[in-house]
Amino acid sequence: MPKQQQLPVRRGDFLRADFLTDRLFDLTRRIKGIDPQLTRVLVPWVMRHRRYLPGFMRLARTVAQSSRVRARSLARGVRVPPFLVLSVTSKCNLRCAGCYAGAVGTVTNAPVQPGLALSEWRGVVDEAVRLGVMAFMIAGGEPFLLPGIARLFRDYPDRLFLVFTNGTALRPADYEVLKRCTNTVVVVSLEGDRDLTDSRRGSGVFEKAMGSLDQLNDAGILTGIAVTIGSANVEYWSQPKNIDALIAHSGPLAMFIEQIPTVGCDNGAVLTEEQRARFRQVVVEYRDRMTGGAYIIHSPGDEEALGGCVSAGRGFVHVNPSGDVTACPVSALATHNVRKSSLSEALASPLFAMIRENGHLLETEGHPCGLSAHAEELEKMARGLGAYRTGAHETAPDPREAVLPIL
């Protein structure tokens, strides 16, 4: 039997392997500096999808760079948050029970004001980048109902984009653009298994959402899931095996956001105090595992360590489809609109400063949302600050004009 010929090992192979090892080590060090728990989940994923390595290195460097820019903005008197939430469209093809975006008027079939065009959103992102915003959470409505939205992510490779989608509206063109992005995480909303998802989101939604997750994974696109936790699905998600099963089918990120009481949301849908405490323990124990699993973000549980809600510029602010700048997506109060003022002026809103100075407004106090828990007090305090209700007028008032009452 002839002796098997061994292929020669070239010096370039060693150099290439050493280069990748050095880059992965550098990425691991940088991510640990941001969040050690993220390292355990994200670095193995990057090792399997190495085209993301240069992009993630770029993002890791941007974290430090954008922090320095925000510090300079703060020295000029403008508090710039690291995150900006952009609800890029009021259109949605679903009508989910208890949707807070529908409750505050973000999602509507007949918006009072025309939504921002993609070119206008690009202007918002341009200014945000100059001010030091590091990451953008893209929501709606259903963001992929805004044609060309994926090109926005592609054109800012040094910023992170987390896109929240119901998973039923992605077009082939979206997948083609996303395959070339290494700065984007597509987060698909699910409630749990087929019955839990379809009962809240509509018949057939689970199958479509899972199909989108399959296509995203086949294309090597970083994905995750977002879950609204309520009394109907808390037991399902309190079993780590269910988290593992769905994450194995999706990606390494899982976001659990507790149901916020809204109009049309049965009080029984909200977690009880006992359910909230028990689910929080599940999240903590899941994170403590040494291998596998997902990187979990839990709201409002994770905010408690930060002294309450991080809205109103503490961690993020929100721009709605018409350009109103609000403290967060569940708030319908604003003093500025990006069509009439700069983002910098909007971030300096006296409304946001007042919320931050009255820290108790951001404390959840057993409620899933601090601002919702103090809604009546917040509205009274906002009346003297030029605040208006978003969606309640044909044109957002100029912040320099007379104060409008909130009725």
Side-chain angles (χ1 to χ4, degrees):
M1 184 174 180
K3 185 177 180 181
Q4 187 175 6
Q5 183 180 5
Q6 291 186 343
L7 295 174
V9 179
R10 294 170 296 184
R11 183 170 180 270
D13 294 333
F14 284 117
L15 293 175
R16 191 176 301 109
D18 287 345
F19 175 75
L20 288 172
T21 300
D22 289 345
R23 295 292 291 273
L24 279 169
F25 179 80
D26 191 16
L27 179 64
T28 302
R29 177 181 59 82
R30 290 176 181 272
I31 295 177
K32 277 186 176 180
I34 300 169
D35 187 334
Q37 291 189 340
L38 187 58
T39 307
R40 177 173 58 85
V41 173
L42 191 57
V43 171
W45 190 91
V46 173
M47 290 178 67
R48 296 193 301 273
H49 302 82
R50 291 188 176 179
R51 73 179 182 86
Y52 273 80
L53 182 55
F56 276 30
M57 288 296 297
R58 185 187 305 115
L59 290 173
R61 289 191 293 268
T62 301
V63 170
Q65 179 265 341
S66 62
S67 179
R68 292 191 294 269
V69 174
R70 290 196 303 275
R72 291 196 293 269
S73 296
L74 186 60
R76 296 194 303 268
V78 180
R79 180 162 184 160
V80 179
F83 286 83
L84 200 61
V85 184
L86 306 180
S87 291
V88 295
T89 179
S90 62
K91 296 178 182 178
C92 190
N93 57 333
L94 302 183
R95 289 295 179 268
C96 303
C99 172
Y100 66 76
V104 300
T106 300
V107 172
T108 174
N109 287 324
V112 175
Q113 301 176 55
L116 270 63
L118 186 59
S119 60
E120 292 176 291
W121 284 117
R122 192 177 298 277
V124 173
V125 174
D126 278 342
E127 186 181 359
V129 168
R130 291 195 300 271
L131 292 171
V133 173
M134 167 61 204
F136 298 86
M137 299 181 182
I138 307 298
E142 167 50 48
F144 286 105
L145 291 180
L146 180 62
I149 185 62
R151 295 198 299 270
L152 184 70
F153 321 144
R154 178 199 63 194
D155 293 343
Y156 296 89
D158 65 340
R159 305 292 143 158
L160 176 66
F161 289 86
L162 290 93
V163 192
F164 294 85
T165 174
N166 59 39
T168 67
L170 282 90
R171 303 174 175 87
D174 296 320
Y175 287 103
E176 288 304 312
V177 176
L178 290 169
K179 283 193 293 188
R180 297 193 294 274
C181 296
T182 56
N183 63 333
T184 304
V185 186
V186 181
V187 183
V188 177
S189 296
L190 294 166
E191 307 307 319
D193 59 16
R194 185 186 305 274
D195 290 341
L196 288 169
T197 299
D198 286 2
S199 65
R200 181 171 189 247
R201 296 182 168 268
S203 178
V205 171
F206 178 81
E207 184 176 353
K208 291 178 181 177
M210 295 297 281
S212 293
L213 280 170
D214 286 339
Q215 286 186 263
L216 289 163
N217 279 312
D218 289 345
I221 297 165
L222 183 57
T223 63
I225 58 171
V227 179
T228 301
I229 287 288
S231 59
N233 63 353
V234 66
E235 295 303 326
Y236 178 90
W237 290 111
S238 293
Q239 301 179 52
K241 66 178 183 179
N242 289 331
I243 302 177
D244 285 335
L246 204 48
I247 286 299
H249 198 90
S250 60
L253 174 68
M255 302 186 72
F256 293 97
I257 303 168
E258 293 181 17
Q259 174 71 59
I260 298 170
T262 63
V263 175
C265 172
D266 190 317
N267 287 335
V270 181
L271 295 180
T272 65
E273 185 175 343
E274 179 184 355
Q275 287 173 325
R276 180 174 295 113
R278 186 153 29 97
F279 182 70
R280 180 61 183 172
Q281 186 60 35
V282 169
V283 170
V284 171
E285 291 176 356
Y286 190 91
R287 284 174 173 166
D288 286 343
R289 298 191 330 179
M290 297 304 295
T291 59
Y295 181 75
I296 293 182
I297 297 172
H298 174 215
S299 176
D302 291 340
E303 295 170 353
E304 294 174 2
L306 302 173
C309 174
V310 292
S311 66
R314 293 188 69 227
F316 65 84
V317 297
H318 168 246
V319 185
N320 75 10
S322 300
D324 298 309
V325 186
T326 70
C328 77
V330 302
S331 172
L333 298 171
T335 57
H336 290 73
N337 184 289
V338 294
R339 281 175 165 155
K340 288 182 171 255
S341 63
S342 68
L343 180 62
S344 179
E345 290 171 331
L347 292 175
S349 165
L351 176 63
F352 301 159
M354 180 271 291
I355 292 172
R356 295 193 300 266
E357 290 165 3
N358 292 271
H360 70 282
L361 296 174
L362 298 170
E363 295 174 1
T364 56
E365 299 179 358
H367 191 281
C369 172
L371 294 183
S372 293
H374 302 90
E376 291 184 10
E377 181 183 2
L378 174 60
E379 188 159 331
K380 288 179 181 178
M381 296 173 74
R383 284 178 176 167
L385 297 175
Y388 58 87
R389 276 193 174 280
T390 60
H393 46 273
E394 288 295 332
T395 305
D398 191 310
R400 295 164 292 189
E401 296 175 355
V403 173
L404 295 181
I406 301 172
L407 301 177

